[in-house]
Amino acid sequence: MSVTNTAVIPQVSGSSPAGPCGDDDCGIRDVLDRLGDRWTVLVLVELTKGTRRFRELERAIPGISQRMLTLTTKRLCRDGLVERTLYPTVPPQTDYRLTAMGRSLAGMVSALADWSREHKDAVAAARTRWDQQHP
């Protein structure tokens, strides 16, 4: 649209494009926003192995900072995917475990992780071929 042309073109009735879920809001954007964060996926995969303390999660996920792990676990708790248990000890002890809903999502995320492991070399080779053909 040019600077001089500011008219809005109306959609033709009945021709609005349907999203990935049709006309309803299936929540896929919210899920993809959460899964688009690499730390979320790694925390979910780690929690499929069982209940973990905060420091165990931190050690198991290379490169994650304490701050990012705190933010990620809070978001996952807020979404109902992870349950946090705080024990009144000195120092405080915190455990994290997947909820039933979290386990159902983690199963799919784990399948994605397995697929990634299995196809890692093929994807790298495809990228190399692409980069050579499209300088």
Side-chain angles (χ1 to χ4, degrees):
M1 179 170 16
S2 71
V3 175
T4 58
N5 182 8
T6 58
V8 175
I9 300 170
Q11 291 281 334
V12 177
S13 177
S15 69
S16 62
C21 300
D23 293 332
D24 66 331
D25 175 18
C26 63
I28 195 167
R29 288 179 191 252
D30 287 338
V31 171
L32 290 176
D33 284 346
R34 181 66 60 235
L35 292 179
D37 167 26
R38 73 177 182 169
W39 301 121
T40 294
V41 171
L42 296 174
V43 169
L44 288 174
V45 169
E46 183 59 28
L47 288 175
T48 61
K49 300 171 187 174
T51 301
R52 296 285 184 264
R53 289 186 178 173
F54 186 87
R55 294 288 175 221
E56 290 175 315
L57 281 173
E58 192 174 30
R59 283 191 299 271
I61 302 170
I64 195 167
S65 67
Q66 182 177 345
R67 181 182 187 294
M68 283 313 301
L69 182 56
T70 298
L71 289 173
T72 302
T73 53
K74 280 184 181 180
R75 289 174 184 152
L76 289 168
C77 289
R78 181 175 181 253
D79 289 345
L81 301 172
V82 169
E83 180 180 309
R84 176 181 184 259
T85 305
L86 179 64
Y87 298 97
T89 59
V90 178
Q93 179 182 327
T94 308
D95 285 348
Y96 296 90
R97 72 183 52 82
L98 292 173
T99 63
M101 186 169 58
R103 282 190 301 277
S104 70
L105 178 59
M108 289 182 267
V109 170
S110 291
L112 179 61
D114 292 342
W115 184 93
S116 299
R117 257 185 240 101
E118 183 179 331
H119 293 89
K120 179 181 177 181
D121 294 337
V123 170
R127 287 177 178 170
T128 300
R129 282 192 307 276
W130 172 271
D131 292 345
Q132 289 171 350
Q133 294 171 1
H134 302 87

